[in-house]
Amino acid sequence: MSESAEQLAVNVLVLGAGPGGYVAAIRAAQLGQTVAIVEREYWGGVCLNVGCIPTKVLLRHAEVAALVSRHAKAFGLPDGVTADFRAAHERSRSVAEGRIKGVHYLMKKNGIRQFAGTGTFTSDTSLTVTTADGPIADITFDHAIIATGSEIRNLPGVDLGARVTGYIEVVLSETMPDSLVVIGAGPIGIEFACVAASFGSNVTVLEYQDRILPAEDVDVSAELAKALKKLGVTVVTGARVVSASDTESGAHVTYDTAAGETTEIDTDHVLVAVGFSPRLEGYGLDATGVAVTDSGAIDVDAQLRTSVPHIFAIGDVTGKLALAHVAEAQGIVAAEVIGAASTRVMGDYRDMPRAVYSSPQVASFGLTEAQAREELGDVLVASFPFVANGKAHAVGETAGFVKLIANPTTRTLVGGHLVGPDVSELLPELTLAAGTGTTIDDLIHNVHAHPTLSESLQEAFHGLAGHVINF
Ligand code: NAD
């Protein structure tokens, strides 16, 4: 205990103000708990500061850039207009700052005490908050929710430096490099490849697996690979990166190809996007006695309770599915279990919506076709291409498709895989149908407005039932 520090006792202490932590804090406060939240750097988390939100602004600018350059003629726009990346950078920062202010507003509105500093557990019921000037608060709590997120993973042989960085440095950069090598073709690598290429950067993506977005359905990977090629992105699959480091004027990357040849590339910048690891260090986790899994995440049950029953963990630190909306959903369950003795549990993480904000977008939930065949044997599969959808033609984006997979016995959806314009907006109908067990025979009668992209879902429902109408 430090003498000058504030002494405070609360019902619920939340460590980390990312999308999981701040939402859990609000829900706990709504349920009548006294709540304190501690954040050392990013109010709103990586998501609002340097992740989902600012990157979506950059992606929107990338789409506009593509419109005024590659598609100018089709839309009757003057030739030779170029989009200024600095404007994209400035707007992405101002949108992020606005959203961050919104988080502070919500904390205040809900009577939540905010502490800006590093929180360190000193026992399983106490935590100290420290700033550069020393300890500012000693907080005791009945319950804690750990929402400390994750950190970027690196590869052996890759020396991070000024020009070999993770995504944060790229998001915060005021300029777009003339050439960019992206290591890893997961969501982060693919999203940045699309932004950089749309602003005219010469982009090479190196992916270790045999296809991009290897966690997605194979048809999705193939469709997006075609789109990247059109954008001018070079994709090398089966590429094992051996080394990457800064040089005097840029960066140098060495990788082995699937055929065993060693290849070298000189580039202006290297983005390392090979995944995240749950953050377990730097906040006194040992002092709580909370157990971690063999794979290095905080071990939680379906109600997000750790091995110490009054301590919960949510978000990336649980190693379940590192997505902002999953953290939020976990935060609400944890807060309701604490504040209302709720019996709610998290559903199957595989059924959570997933999206990659590439050009065109990718959206999915549930099982891929290969997983569904392995688990169920026989499955119903139907696809509908956006080239047969009127609205897609009107907006001038006809690449992609809707692919749905259903269980032939229950006739309910088990997976959905979409590539196309704004397809992430189409997921809720599918996840609701799957979650409530709505059959394809009912789904075909759910009337969709014309002309909309969502009509492609209705067509795919008809396809599952054996009778596509417009294709
Ligand atoms: P990821 O784990 O999703 O993908 C990393 C990719 O790197 C994989 O395809 C992997 O095969 C490849 N890789 C690994 N080692 C390699 C090597 N030596 N050489 C070449 N490639 C290699 O990681 P990510 O894209 O960095 O994303 C991190 C986390 O953030 C993920 O959990 C992701 O779901 C989440 N995220 C999601 C979104 C979104 O949904 N839109 C956006 C950003 C981040």
Side-chain angles (χ1 to χ4, degrees):
M1 191 180 291
S2 30
E3 277 174 19
S4 57
E6 178 182 348
Q7 308 297 310
L8 182 72
V10 293
N11 299 135
V12 181
L13 176 277
V14 180
L15 181 59
Y22 90 74
V23 166
I26 293 172
R27 192 70 193 109
Q30 287 173 339
L31 291 166
Q33 306 287 302
T34 55
V35 184
I37 186 162
V38 181
E39 170 58 49
R40 68 172 186 195
E41 187 175 17
Y42 292 140
W43 290 90
V46 159
C47 174
L48 295 198
N49 287 262
V50 288
C52 327
I53 299 300
T55 58
K56 259 76 275 175
V57 177
L58 297 179
L59 281 157
R60 175 70 186 136
H61 281 255
E63 283 166 10
V64 175
L67 193 65
V68 297
S69 53
R70 288 185 303 119
H71 305 303
K73 203 166 169 209
F75 283 88
L77 294 165
D79 261 350
V81 176
T82 53
D84 176 11
F85 184 74
R86 204 167 291 267
H89 167 79
E90 279 167 17
R91 204 169 76 83
S92 88
R93 293 325 303 153
S94 91
V95 169
E97 277 153 28
R99 302 298 83 216
I100 295 159
K101 281 193 190 132
V103 172
H104 290 299
Y105 161 77
L106 290 170
M107 297 298 98
K108 222 169 150 186
K109 180 183 163 206
N110 286 282
I112 296 161
R113 280 296 310 274
Q114 305 177 61
F115 290 93
T118 300
T120 307
F121 287 105
T122 47
S123 76
D124 68 350
T125 53
S126 60
L127 172 138
T128 295
V129 186
T130 313
T131 67
D133 299 329
I136 57 163
D138 294 314
I139 306 172
T140 56
F141 53 81
D142 303 325
H143 288 95
I145 299 177
I146 302 174
T148 47
S150 53
E151 39 209 15
I152 71 160
R153 228 181 256 156
N154 195 10
L155 295 172
V158 172
D159 298 326
L160 296 178
R163 298 189 199 88
V164 179
T165 69
Y167 66 95
I168 293 178
E169 291 80 355
V170 180
V171 172
L172 295 177
S173 173
E174 290 176 15
T175 53
M176 183 54 77
D178 287 341
S179 60
L180 176 72
V181 169
V182 176
I183 307 177
I188 293 189
I190 293 300
E191 289 178 8
F192 279 99
C194 289
V195 172
S198 299
F199 277 100
S201 191
N202 186 349
V203 181
T204 304
V205 177
L206 304 176
E207 166 57 48
Y208 181 66
Q209 302 283 331
D210 61 0
R211 60 192 174 97
I212 62 167
L213 296 178
E216 297 294 338
D217 190 277
V218 285
D219 290 346
V220 167
S221 301
E223 184 73 10
L224 203 66
K226 277 196 273 173
L228 289 184
K229 196 170 176 194
K230 268 195 182 162
L231 255 182
V233 173
T234 304
V235 173
V236 186
T237 54
R240 195 179 66 81
V241 171
V242 179
S243 67
S245 57
D246 278 14
T247 62
E248 273 182 20
S249 55
H252 186 76
V253 184
T254 310
Y255 66 94
D256 290 340
T257 64
E261 279 165 23
T262 300
T263 307
E264 312 203 4
I265 315 181
D266 284 306
T267 182
D268 290 326
H269 199 97
V270 177
L271 166 64
V272 184
V274 293
F276 291 170
S277 310
R279 181 176 284 120
L280 301 176
E281 305 279 333
Y283 55 93
L285 187 62
D286 288 350
T288 63
V290 161
V292 300
T293 63
D294 291 344
S295 57
I298 293 185
D299 201 5
V300 288
D301 65 14
Q303 291 194 309
L304 294 319
R305 205 183 284 274
T306 69
S307 60
V308 177
H310 62 279
I311 299 183
F312 291 66
I314 60 172
D316 291 10
V317 77
T318 64
K320 297 291 185 194
L321 184 58
L323 297 174
H325 49 273
V326 173
E328 282 179 39
Q330 291 177 319
I332 291 196
V333 170
E336 293 188 348
V337 171
I338 293 169
S342 163
T343 54
R344 282 193 54 202
V345 295
M346 281 299 291
D348 189 338
Y349 288 95
R350 294 190 308 187
D351 290 338
M352 294 284 152
R354 308 178 290 259
V356 183
Y357 299 89
S358 43
S359 320
Q361 278 185 12
V362 168
S364 63
F365 86 96
L367 305 178
T368 64
E369 182 177 346
Q371 288 167 337
R373 288 196 185 284
E374 203 179 313
E375 288 191 21
L376 301 171
D378 200 17
V379 288
L380 299 173
V381 181
S383 294
F384 185 81
F386 280 110
V387 76
N389 173 275
K391 175 71 185 288
H393 279 278
V395 295
E397 291 189 45
T398 51
F401 55 78
V402 167
K403 171 176 175 177
L404 300 181
I405 300 155
N407 180 325
T409 312
T410 59
R411 297 181 70 75
T412 55
L413 300 178
V414 296
H417 306 278
L418 289 65
V419 182
D422 267 336
V423 283
S424 56
E425 305 287 355
L426 301 183
L427 281 176
E429 180 179 357
L430 298 178
T431 52
L432 182 66
T436 53
T438 309
T439 66
I440 51 183
D441 310 294
D442 285 331
L443 285 167
I444 55 174
H445 297 296
N446 184 29
V447 179
H448 292 65
H450 177 74
T452 58
L453 299 168
S454 72
E455 287 172 289
S456 303
L457 295 183
Q458 192 167 19
E459 290 289 351
F461 299 148
H462 278 294
L464 288 171
H467 42 68
V468 165
I469 309 288
N470 278 291
F471 186 57

